[in-house]
Amino acid sequence: MEAQWRQGGRGRGRGRPGDELAARSGAAARPPAARGRGGARAAAAGPIGDRANELSSLKKFDEIKRANQAAAKKLVEDQLSSSSEDDDDDAEAKQGKILDKTFTIYTSQTDGDASELERTRQYMNEAFQSGAMTCLICIASVKRNQAVWSCCGCFCIFHLVCIQKWAKDSLFLVSSPLTDDDFGKKDYPWPCPKCRFEYKRSETPSRYYCYCGKVENPEVDPWLVPHSCGQICEREFKPSCGHKCLLLCHPGPCPPCPKMVTTTCHCKKAKAVPRRCSAKEWSCRLPCGRTLLCGQHVCENPCHAGDCQPCPRVSKQRCICGRQTAERLCASPQWQCDQVCGKCLPCGNHTCEQVCHAGPCGDCPRSGKRSCPCGKTKFTLPCTEDVPTCGDSCDKVLECGIHKCSQRCHRGPCEICRQEVEKQCRCGKHTKRMPCHKPYLCETKCTKIRDCQKHQCRRKCCSGNCPPCDQVCGRTLGCRNHKCPSGCHRGSCNPCPETVDVKCSCGKTVIKVPCGRERTIKPPKCKQLCSRPPTCHHPTQEKHYCHFGRCPPCRQPCQKTLTCGHLCPVSCHDEALVKQTGSHQSAGPWEQPSEPVFIQTALPCPPCEVPIPVECLGQHEVSPLPCHSANPYSCKRFCGRLLDCQNHTCMKECHCVTKSNSGADGKKAGPECSQCEEECTKPRPAGCPHRCVLPCHPGDCPSCLQMLKIKCHCKLSVLYIECLKLTHADVKEKELLISCRNQCPKELPCGHRCKEICHSGSCPLNCSQKVKLRCLCKRLKKEVQCSKIQEGQVSLECDALCKEMKRKAHEIKEAEAKAALEEKKRRQQAELEAFENRLKGRRKNKRRKDEVEVEQSSWQKYKNFIMLPVFGVAVVMVAWLMVYND
């Protein structure tokens, strides 16, 4: 029943977790009254019963809620922590680094030789491989974050919870037939589920340790072997050699000891040499030479371990008694013949009846005191006489074990018990009178359940100590493939001992997994190349590893010959996936759109993209164009060919031009080019402002015959001159042609007019005009040439009279300044007095003072007569100075 419950639990565990949780929650949410008649009974019990039922229901609801939360949390952790969720590529790289790190110390002792690590490497690869580590008890994967236990015999890994329950069940089944007095007196062992290695009750695991047993509850480290502490193993090698394992904490057995020791051969004849500790026993291959057990010959076998083999030689040897001689192996010198000894015993009446023996024959067996057949009386008789019967009753216990023999002392065995007794059958349900020697078995069949707790005994007249069930268990094992072959038993069945080969697609790579895991484990990665024939037009496939399903799309170049003669360079497109459209029409807006359907079909080769150099229509450039569009094209530039006018180029967009046979120049315009309709734009001669009267033409323009209207040098007269004369004249001729022949109207820097005829450029500076020169006071004057005055060659100084006049004028200015200052002071004094009088309020005095006329000074009276002549003299002198400076 327990096994069925486990199997049912595993079956339910394979369903959807949400359904299971919903079912539990739904069951817990039902009211107590809906679970049976107990609700109605509780309602009838009164308010106290209702309150108790409500409290118990809430308590159960809380328990179920906590259980559901724990189950959901465990489910999430299992999904996140599964060792099978690592990406394959990253896992392989990480696994290689971890293995190298684990084997570093060992390989440093062996100079890089890792040949002895293959078995350990296999266990470590299984620890990394997705789904390879399987608990044989629950048939589930062993994950990184789960507590585990490893058997020290077969190194198989189990869940800690599973092995604890297995040990508990095993001990219970072994000790269940015992009575209360015997229970606990003997320490019964429990076996490993796989190798049946027995452990004591005290060795039942209770805590989670790493492989080497140093660290309790090792942390999950992605850069270490799962369930490893990362420290050096340091377990003693088996068989023990005194050294310890140098690998990091690892699953599986420790590798052979890599230490170097100095040791001699088995026969001790050769010199001691350094060898690996794991292979320290060696043979020198020389003859052994040790004396054999026969004592005559020596061992001729090559140097070997252990005792020498028996001597293989043959020799003639006598038997123990010495009567016969035979050729026998030297290793077994003692042997017995088949003859009876026959020697006369010391009594002289009888002979020795022993078969070939060594030593004396001994005394006669009929000598000394002998008993009668019943053993009650002893007689001392010669060996030639037999012992008589005593005549008393035999009284030996018969075979029934209850009654005694009633006959007189007799020789030979006693008769069977013939007394009639009332016998009880073996099961104790019936009685019957019958002879004592006959057993009494009733026809009642035992109805007790045997130790398997499944089948009845069904044995006739069973004594109650029913024998073990003799039927085959036949329950389906956890693998779901086989049935239990053991006898019917209680508890869970042993794990399925079978292994299943999981192969790759080609079958060359095989891994062995426990039976039942072949449906969930991933197939092994095969390093063999895929050998399937190609499905495209290529003779061979791209090299890729063995796989299931369809081969990946071919990525080789197509290489089909196109119509242009080139090879198709794109990837193979014989099996391209194309989305199928229009295959299904919706029945209405309520219908959900279906997923797109892709079909595999061969696509035609794309247009050829090989670059071909192509020249444009106007032969301006050569550009590489795809082969499928390699036709003459327009480069969108101007044509640029020289037109017939030899001055302009064709401005049309790049176009095709017909080549003439006579034309040697490839850049000459053709009939397709445009015609020049421009005016002549050739440069005119210097000074000619007129355009060419002809349209755009080749060669030089004709001479200009138009009249040119131009001003003379002095810009006063307008002259009409032929353009041809003006443009072809030299500098002197142009100077004469443009001159108006009149006097130059320009003024010289001195202010006089230029005396030259109309000319170009600046006028000459040597002015010949006569001007008047005056002294500084303008009183003296003199006529001289203007150019001399400009050059500073002539000057006129003032005489004594001029100086006297300057002195008088200076005195007059000083007197005027002094009189003006006195007048200003007087006015200020008068204003001050008038202000003081107004403050005293004397209006009359004030009015009188206002009417009194102020007496004028002499300067005020005669200043007009003095100032007018002086002012006139000053004006004359200033005018003279101005004229002199000019």
Side-chain angles (χ1 to χ4, degrees):
M1 297 295 291
E2 186 178 358
Q4 291 178 358
W5 177 84
R6 286 186 179 182
Q7 293 173 2
R10 288 194 295 268
R12 289 191 300 271
R14 292 172 184 169
R16 293 180 297 175
D19 298 342
E20 184 179 357
L21 295 177
R24 292 179 181 176
S25 302
R30 287 182 293 176
R35 298 176 185 172
R37 298 179 180 178
R41 294 176 183 175
I48 298 177
D50 294 343
R51 182 64 178 172
N53 290 336
E54 184 178 357
L55 292 176
S56 63
S57 300
L58 292 175
K59 184 176 180 181
K60 290 182 180 178
F61 179 81
D62 293 338
E63 292 178 355
I64 295 174
K65 181 179 178 181
R66 287 193 295 269
N68 290 344
Q69 291 176 351
K73 184 177 180 181
K74 182 178 180 182
L75 178 63
V76 173
E77 290 179 353
D78 291 346
Q79 291 179 352
L80 293 178
S81 62
S82 176
S83 62
S84 61
E85 293 178 357
D86 295 334
D87 295 334
D88 294 339
D89 297 338
D90 296 342
E92 286 185 1
K94 186 192 297 183
Q95 177 180 346
K97 293 181 180 179
I98 296 175
L99 290 179
D100 294 342
K101 180 180 178 182
T102 306
F103 297 152
T104 298
I105 302 179
Y106 186 93
T107 53
S108 64
Q109 297 283 339
T110 61
D111 296 333
D113 183 14
S115 59
E116 301 291 343
L117 297 174
E118 291 303 323
R119 188 179 178 193
T120 307
R121 188 187 298 273
Q122 181 181 358
Y123 277 92
M124 296 184 70
N125 287 333
E126 290 180 357
F128 281 110
Q129 189 174 3
S130 172
M133 292 178 61
T134 304
C135 178
L136 296 180
I137 300 175
C138 64
I139 315 296
S141 297
V142 178
K143 300 177 177 62
R144 290 177 177 268
N145 62 340
Q146 292 177 335
V148 297
W149 175 83
S150 176
C151 175
C152 62
C154 61
F155 304 100
C156 186
I157 295 177
F158 305 91
H159 292 124
L160 182 62
V161 178
C162 296
I163 198 65
Q164 288 174 344
K165 192 175 188 307
W166 173 271
K168 182 179 178 181
D169 294 345
S170 300
L171 293 173
F172 175 76
L173 293 177
V174 172
S175 59
S176 59
L178 301 178
T179 62
D180 295 339
D181 296 335
D182 297 334
F183 186 79
K185 292 184 178 180
K186 186 176 181 181
D187 188 9
Y188 288 95
W190 56 272
C192 169
K194 183 178 181 182
C195 65
R196 317 309 295 177
F197 184 83
E198 293 185 348
Y199 294 89
K200 297 180 181 179
R201 182 192 296 268
S202 59
E203 294 177 344
T204 302
S206 59
R207 297 182 180 180
Y208 168 41
Y209 288 95
C210 62
Y211 297 114
C212 63
K214 294 180 181 178
V215 179
E216 182 180 354
N217 297 323
E219 297 182 357
V220 179
D221 191 342
W223 288 102
L224 292 177
V225 180
H227 316 291
S228 171
C229 63
Q231 301 180 21
I232 299 178
C233 178
E234 293 185 347
R235 287 183 287 183
E236 291 187 358
F237 290 108
K238 294 182 181 179
S240 179
C241 64
H243 302 126
K244 295 183 179 180
C245 180
L246 300 177
L247 297 182
L248 300 184
C249 182
H250 63 90
C254 296
C257 181
K259 294 287 185 178
M260 298 297 293
V261 294
T262 303
T263 180
T264 185
C265 63
H266 300 294
C267 64
K268 312 297 181 181
K269 293 181 180 180
K271 293 182 179 180
V273 294
R275 292 179 64 86
R276 291 270 171 81
C277 184
S278 59
K280 60 184 177 182
E281 296 184 357
W282 61 285
S283 173
C284 63
R285 311 309 297 174
L286 296 175
C288 177
R290 285 184 285 184
T291 304
L292 300 178
L293 295 177
C294 65
Q296 300 177 4
H297 307 101
V298 294
C299 180
E300 297 179 355
N301 292 330
C303 177
H304 60 85
D307 297 333
C308 297
Q309 295 180 357
C311 183
R313 297 188 179 185
V314 178
S315 61
K316 289 183 178 183
Q317 299 177 7
R318 289 182 178 274
C319 64
I320 297 176
C321 65
R323 293 181 181 180
Q324 294 183 3
T325 302
E327 289 187 356
R328 295 181 58 84
L329 291 175
C330 189
S332 56
Q334 294 184 357
W335 63 285
Q336 287 181 328
C337 63
D338 298 334
Q339 295 183 7
V340 179
C341 178
K343 292 181 181 180
C344 185
L345 296 177
C347 64
N349 298 322
H350 302 92
T351 58
C352 180
E353 296 179 355
Q354 297 182 21
V355 182
C356 178
H357 67 88
C361 295
D363 295 335
C364 180
R366 295 171 66 90
S367 62
K369 290 184 178 182
R370 289 180 287 171
S371 299
C372 65
C374 68
K376 294 181 179 179
T377 305
K378 294 185 178 182
F379 299 92
T380 302
L381 298 173
C383 64
T384 56
E385 295 182 7
D386 294 333
V387 178
T389 59
C390 64
D392 197 355
S393 59
C394 179
D395 288 339
K396 289 182 179 179
V397 180
L398 299 178
E399 292 181 354
C400 65
I402 301 174
H403 305 102
K404 295 182 179 180
C405 180
S406 59
Q407 295 180 0
R408 292 186 181 274
C409 179
H410 60 87
R411 292 182 176 89
C414 298
E415 293 183 352
I416 59 176
C417 184
R418 297 184 183 277
Q419 294 188 23
E420 285 192 359
V421 294
E422 189 171 341
K423 277 195 169 186
Q424 191 177 19
C425 66
R426 190 166 54 186
C427 64
K429 294 183 179 180
H430 305 279
T431 58
K432 184 180 179 181
R433 291 193 65 83
M434 57 186 306
C436 183
H437 70 277
K438 291 184 178 180
Y440 174 41
L441 299 176
C442 67
E443 296 296 327
T444 304
K445 293 183 178 181
C446 180
T447 58
K448 289 185 178 180
I449 301 299
R450 295 191 179 185
D451 57 354
C452 66
Q453 300 297 322
K454 290 183 181 180
H455 304 104
Q456 291 182 346
C457 178
R458 305 302 295 172
R459 189 175 63 161
K460 289 183 180 180
C461 195
C462 180
S463 62
N465 187 15
C466 300
C469 185
D470 55 355
Q471 298 187 29
V472 179
C473 178
R475 286 184 292 180
T476 303
L477 298 178
C479 64
R480 306 292 182 181
N481 296 328
H482 303 96
K483 294 186 177 180
C484 181
S486 305
C488 191
H489 58 86
R490 285 188 297 172
S492 58
C493 299
N494 291 335
C496 181
E498 301 292 333
T499 58
V500 181
D501 292 341
V502 179
K503 301 181 180 180
C504 63
S505 179
C506 66
K508 295 182 179 179
T509 303
V510 182
I511 59 173
K512 291 184 178 295
V513 297
C515 183
R517 290 289 293 171
E518 68 275 6
R519 292 184 293 271
T520 58
I521 196 170
K522 292 182 180 180
K525 280 192 173 183
C526 181
K527 297 300 182 181
Q528 300 292 330
L529 296 178
C530 180
S531 59
R532 298 181 187 178
T535 56
C536 59
H537 67 278
H538 291 104
T540 57
Q541 288 196 95
E542 280 186 306
K543 291 183 179 181
H544 60 280
Y545 293 125
C546 171
H547 61 90
F548 288 92
R550 296 178 60 86
C551 290
C554 180
R555 301 182 183 276
Q556 302 181 68
C558 178
Q559 297 297 312
K560 288 183 179 179
T561 304
L562 303 176
T563 55
C564 60
H566 296 115
L567 299 178
C568 181
V570 299
S571 299
C572 182
H573 46 82
D574 287 352
E575 295 178 343
L577 291 177
V578 180
K579 184 177 179 182
Q580 190 176 10
T581 57
S583 59
H584 176 72
Q585 293 183 354
S586 301
W590 58 85
E591 185 176 354
Q592 295 292 334
S594 59
E595 294 184 358
V597 179
F598 291 89
I599 58 174
Q600 201 169 33
T601 182
L603 297 178
C605 293
C608 182
E609 297 291 339
V610 176
I612 302 296
V614 179
E615 192 176 26
C616 67
L617 295 173
Q619 301 177 357
H620 301 111
E621 65 179 18
V622 177
S623 299
L625 297 180
C627 181
H628 70 277
S629 60
N631 297 319
Y633 67 99
S634 174
C635 64
K636 304 301 181 181
R637 301 179 187 175
F638 293 120
C639 175
R641 292 178 178 269
L642 190 61
L643 298 179
D644 293 338
C645 64
Q646 302 296 320
N647 298 321
H648 300 94
T649 56
C650 179
M651 299 302 292
K652 282 186 177 182
E653 189 179 292
C654 178
H655 58 88
C656 181
V657 179
T658 303
K659 295 182 179 180
S660 59
N661 296 330
S662 59
D665 189 3
K667 296 298 181 180
K668 191 175 182 180
E672 294 83 0
C673 294
S674 60
Q675 300 295 327
C676 182
E677 297 178 355
E678 300 290 333
E679 297 180 354
C680 180
T681 57
K682 290 183 179 182
R684 305 298 292 168
C688 178
H690 308 104
R691 290 188 176 185
C692 179
V693 295
L694 298 178
C696 187
H697 59 87
D700 298 332
C701 297
S703 301
C704 182
L705 301 178
Q706 298 187 34
M707 299 299 291
L708 184 63
K709 183 179 180 182
I710 189 172
K711 289 186 178 182
C712 63
H713 298 299
C714 58
K715 308 299 181 182
L716 297 178
S717 302
V718 177
L719 304 177
Y720 290 91
I721 308 170
E722 287 186 7
C723 185
L724 179 61
K725 293 181 179 179
L726 185 62
T727 55
H728 288 78
D730 55 8
V731 178
K732 292 183 178 180
E733 292 178 352
K734 284 185 178 180
E735 183 75 19
L736 295 175
L737 288 174
I738 300 175
S739 176
C740 63
R741 304 293 194 274
N742 296 323
Q743 184 182 355
C744 179
K746 296 178 183 179
E747 289 186 357
L748 298 176
C750 60
H752 302 119
R753 183 177 178 181
C754 179
K755 302 298 184 178
E756 299 290 335
I757 299 173
C758 180
H759 61 88
S760 61
S762 57
C763 298
L765 298 179
N766 51 349
C767 181
S768 58
Q769 182 72 27
K770 295 290 187 177
V771 294
K772 292 180 179 181
L773 180 62
R774 294 181 180 272
C775 65
L776 292 177
C777 62
K778 305 299 182 181
R779 189 179 70 81
L780 301 177
K781 62 180 179 179
K782 181 181 179 183
E783 287 187 1
V784 294
Q785 193 175 355
C786 180
S787 59
K788 292 181 179 182
I789 296 175
Q790 296 296 329
E791 294 174 0
Q793 298 178 1
V794 179
S795 62
L796 185 60
E797 299 294 336
C798 293
D799 54 3
L801 182 59
C802 292
K803 293 179 181 179
E804 183 65 23
M805 291 178 66
K806 284 182 181 180
R807 186 182 62 78
K808 289 181 179 180
H810 182 67
E811 291 177 356
I812 293 172
K813 285 183 179 180
E814 288 181 354
E816 289 180 354
K818 187 176 180 180
L821 182 61
E822 292 178 357
E823 181 64 21
K824 185 177 180 180
K825 290 181 179 180
R826 188 189 65 78
R827 287 183 180 179
Q828 290 177 354
Q829 185 66 29
E831 289 177 359
L832 181 61
E833 292 177 357
F835 178 73
E836 290 177 353
N837 292 333
R838 282 197 302 271
L839 292 177
K840 292 179 180 180
R842 297 175 182 178
R843 294 185 176 179
K844 292 181 179 180
N845 295 334
K846 182 180 178 181
R847 190 176 299 119
R848 293 175 182 174
K849 288 181 180 179
D850 292 338
E851 292 177 356
V852 175
E853 293 182 359
V854 180
E855 186 177 359
Q856 293 182 352
S857 61
S858 58
W859 167 253
Q860 290 178 350
K861 293 179 180 179
Y862 302 108
K863 67 178 179 180
N864 293 333
F865 299 101
I866 297 172
M867 292 300 296
L868 287 177
V870 172
F871 184 73
V873 172
V875 170
V876 171
M877 291 179 67
V878 170
W880 183 82
L881 289 173
M882 291 177 64
V883 173
Y884 177 78
N885 291 332
D886 293 339

